[in-house]
Amino acid sequence: MSAGWLAIAGLGPGDEALVTPEVSAALAAASDVIGYIPYVRRVAPRAGLTRHESDNRVELDRARHALSLAAGGARVVVVSSGDPGVFAMASAVFEAIEAGEPSWRGLDVRVLPGITAMLAASARAGAPLGHDFCAINLSDNLKPAALIERRLRLAAEADFAIALYNPRSVARPDGLDQALAVLRAACVDSRPVLFARAVATPAESLRVVPLPQARGEMADMRTLVIVGSSRTRLIERPGAPWLYTPRSAA
Amino acid sequence: MSAGWLAIAGLGPGDEALVTPEVSAALAAASDVIGYIPYVRRVAPRAGLTRHESDNRVELDRARHALSLAAGGARVVVVSSGDPGVFAMASAVFEAIEAGEPSWRGLDVRVLPGITAMLAASARAGAPLGHDFCAINLSDNLKPAALIERRLRLAAEADFAIALYNPRSVARPDGLDQALAVLRAACVDSRPVLFARAVATPAESLRVVPLPQARGEMADMRTLVIVGSSRTRLIERPGAPWLYTPRSAA
């Protein structure tokens, strides 16, 4: 049996100019690409490459499928958007390994980093993550809403800039409004909030509003939200203002 | 006068395979590259390109120099390692713009994201940042030690995985030991701590130890430290164990 391998690769936010050469090389060497439908479709078809598209919310099944193929000698790339290690497929693969076939622990598994959504959004707006920050996934499929609220309160108390992933979905239309209400209660100022939608794609749009005016309806499933710290500033200018957090805390 | 521009670009952690095509294209189009000495030296010399090397800790001078050149029509790339928006040059450039010439607000300034150290380190070790996490800069040049300690305590209380940037320097030999003491007092368990040194370079080394055994001397200026959350796990295997944080909080 030939030596299979499994790479868990980040495709970045959308623009091909943000895909690392390391990821492109893995895709060029792969026999199989596996992932959520829109991510797999970002990989061009070619002879010798099988593309396996799967639905959302079947991450563990997808991970086990990828591991089985690699164990059988295939050269497998599991694709995520952004970075695979941030609220994406890398953890699902390791969960599948830990609970799965003992032989899977001997496989050649590599995680190939990518430009995660908050870095792309921050770059487009300026530098809102230039000082201490945190990243919180608002999806409550995998954690209780009370834990999300507690983390938001503590993050505000620590005065982190806060990147909110998966801020809104059809299943949780009120999740972001609840999060913003927690932050408004914890923060007396009107720090800026960035709604960055579909960054690095043709549909990109950016909007900055003060926290008191931020509303859940300003985000959809393709939006990344960054709530500034108390020190985050706007620079007014001819075009859209720049948003940045100074390096200094005082 | 020809139209100058300024790009603030992330070179990633070291390996050229982790430099995005967007950054490579900006460097190929530049007339001037500016940055801290070791980062500027990662850009190959060529006809038509002037490389400006500057010492560390002169970020604002460097930013003003870059802005002046761009205002004069130069095509300028300010280089950072990792991502320029995370504890790097992007905030310094916006600070310089805000306090500088009003005309600088009309310049073409772009931030080009890169693979920041915590994403590269996480990928090499597995997926320790697979659930909610924060990033804290331990440098106390720009913030008081008491604020760092407070953030660490709140981050532990929120049960974030914690990425520690600039964990140790000659000027602050005890900073990481103090941070680890705060975390040991706040965390009763023996969660794993990753010391990732010089990731994606020939000098790369990784070490994982339980929090009670973590010591400041395990890090140097080239190390990124990731302290797991209470849920971060090790998968034992023939080689180095994999480190990951499950997607679920319960």
Side-chain angles (χ1 to χ4, degrees):
Chain A
M1 190 176 74
S2 67
W5 48 258
L6 173 58
I8 313 156
L11 296 177
D15 186 339
E16 296 310 304
L18 294 177
V19 179
T20 68
E22 180 179 70
V23 167
S24 297
L27 290 169
S31 61
D32 297 83
V33 173
I34 301 184
Y36 178 43
I37 300 163
Y39 309 146
V40 168
R41 291 191 183 164
R42 286 184 54 192
V43 181
R46 62 171 166 78
L49 180 70
T50 305
R51 300 189 304 169
H52 308 263
E53 300 178 352
S54 58
D55 207 348
N56 210 348
R57 303 207 180 174
V58 293
E59 288 86 357
L60 272 181
D61 289 344
R62 186 189 298 149
R64 283 188 286 259
H65 182 203
L67 287 158
S68 299
L69 286 171
R75 303 177 305 281
V76 183
V77 179
V78 172
V79 287
S80 284
S81 74
D83 181 278
V86 175
F87 310 132
M89 280 301 296
S91 284
V93 170
F94 290 111
E95 284 170 46
I97 289 173
E98 191 174 21
E101 302 288 333
S103 64
W104 287 351
R105 299 182 183 214
L107 285 174
D108 174 6
V109 176
R110 290 171 301 147
V111 180
L112 310 184
I115 303 294
T116 184
M118 68 178 168
L119 298 188
S122 173
R124 280 292 200 270
L129 304 180
H131 195 73
D132 300 341
F133 63 93
C134 66
I136 298 178
N137 188 347
L138 284 192
S139 166
D140 62 4
N141 296 322
L142 295 164
K143 68 186 160 191
L147 178 60
I148 295 176
E149 291 192 15
R150 179 177 152 76
R151 283 207 175 124
L152 290 165
R153 272 195 300 271
L154 290 165
E157 201 179 332
D159 203 17
F160 286 124
I162 304 172
L164 299 175
Y165 279 72
N166 299 315
R168 203 146 184 262
S169 71
V170 175
R172 297 168 286 109
D174 300 327
L176 180 55
D177 273 314
Q178 289 162 11
L180 291 169
V182 169
L183 293 173
R184 272 193 296 272
C187 307
V188 295
D189 53 35
S190 62
R191 60 191 64 191
V193 179
L194 169 69
F195 292 86
R197 182 172 185 276
V199 164
T201 78
E204 174 175 309
S205 69
L206 265 64
R207 179 175 186 180
V208 178
V209 301
L211 178 57
Q213 275 119 70
R215 295 289 174 268
E217 68 196 24
M218 297 174 183
D220 67 9
M221 281 186 290
R222 300 184 69 188
T223 307
L224 187 285
V225 178
I226 296 179
V227 180
S229 77
S230 69
R231 310 230 346 119
T232 302
R233 301 177 61 76
L234 282 178
I235 304 179
E236 297 298 340
R237 56 189 288 266
W242 284 312
L243 180 68
Y244 85 101
T245 306
R247 300 162 302 149
S248 167
Chain B
M1 191 174 75
S2 66
W5 49 256
L6 174 57
I8 314 157
L11 297 177
D15 186 339
E16 297 311 304
L18 294 177
V19 179
T20 68
E22 181 179 68
V23 168
S24 297
L27 289 169
S31 61
D32 298 82
V33 172
I34 300 184
Y36 178 43
I37 301 164
Y39 309 146
V40 169
R41 293 192 181 162
R42 285 184 53 191
V43 181
R46 63 172 165 77
L49 179 70
T50 306
R51 300 189 303 169
H52 307 264
E53 299 178 353
S54 58
D55 207 349
N56 211 347
R57 303 208 181 173
V58 293
E59 289 86 356
L60 273 181
D61 290 343
R62 187 190 297 150
R64 284 189 285 260
H65 182 204
L67 287 157
S68 299
L69 286 171
R75 304 178 304 282
V76 183
V77 179
V78 171
V79 286
S80 284
S81 74
D83 181 278
V86 176
F87 311 131
M89 279 302 296
S91 284
V93 169
F94 290 110
E95 284 170 46
I97 290 173
E98 191 174 22
E101 302 287 336
S103 65
W104 287 352
R105 297 181 186 215
L107 286 173
D108 174 6
V109 176
R110 289 172 300 147
V111 180
L112 310 184
I115 303 295
T116 186
M118 69 180 167
L119 298 188
S122 174
R124 280 291 200 271
L129 304 180
H131 195 73
D132 300 341
F133 63 92
C134 66
I136 298 178
N137 188 346
L138 284 193
S139 167
D140 62 4
N141 297 322
L142 295 165
K143 67 185 160 192
L147 178 61
I148 295 176
E149 290 192 15
R150 179 177 153 76
R151 284 208 175 123
L152 289 166
R153 272 194 299 270
L154 290 164
E157 202 179 330
D159 204 16
F160 286 124
I162 304 171
L164 300 174
Y165 281 73
N166 299 316
R168 203 147 186 263
S169 70
V170 174
R172 297 167 286 108
D174 299 327
L176 180 55
D177 273 315
Q178 289 162 12
L180 291 169
V182 169
L183 293 173
R184 272 193 296 273
C187 307
V188 295
D189 54 34
S190 60
R191 62 191 62 193
V193 179
L194 169 68
F195 293 85
R197 182 172 186 276
V199 163
T201 78
E204 174 175 309
S205 67
L206 266 64
R207 180 174 184 180
V208 177
V209 302
L211 177 56
Q213 273 118 70
R215 295 289 173 266
E217 67 194 24
M218 295 172 184
D220 66 11
M221 283 185 289
R222 302 184 68 188
T223 307
L224 187 287
V225 177
I226 296 178
V227 180
S229 78
S230 70
R231 310 228 347 117
T232 302
R233 302 177 59 77
L234 282 178
I235 304 179
E236 297 297 340
R237 56 189 287 267
W242 283 313
L243 180 68
Y244 85 102
T245 306
R247 300 161 303 150
S248 167

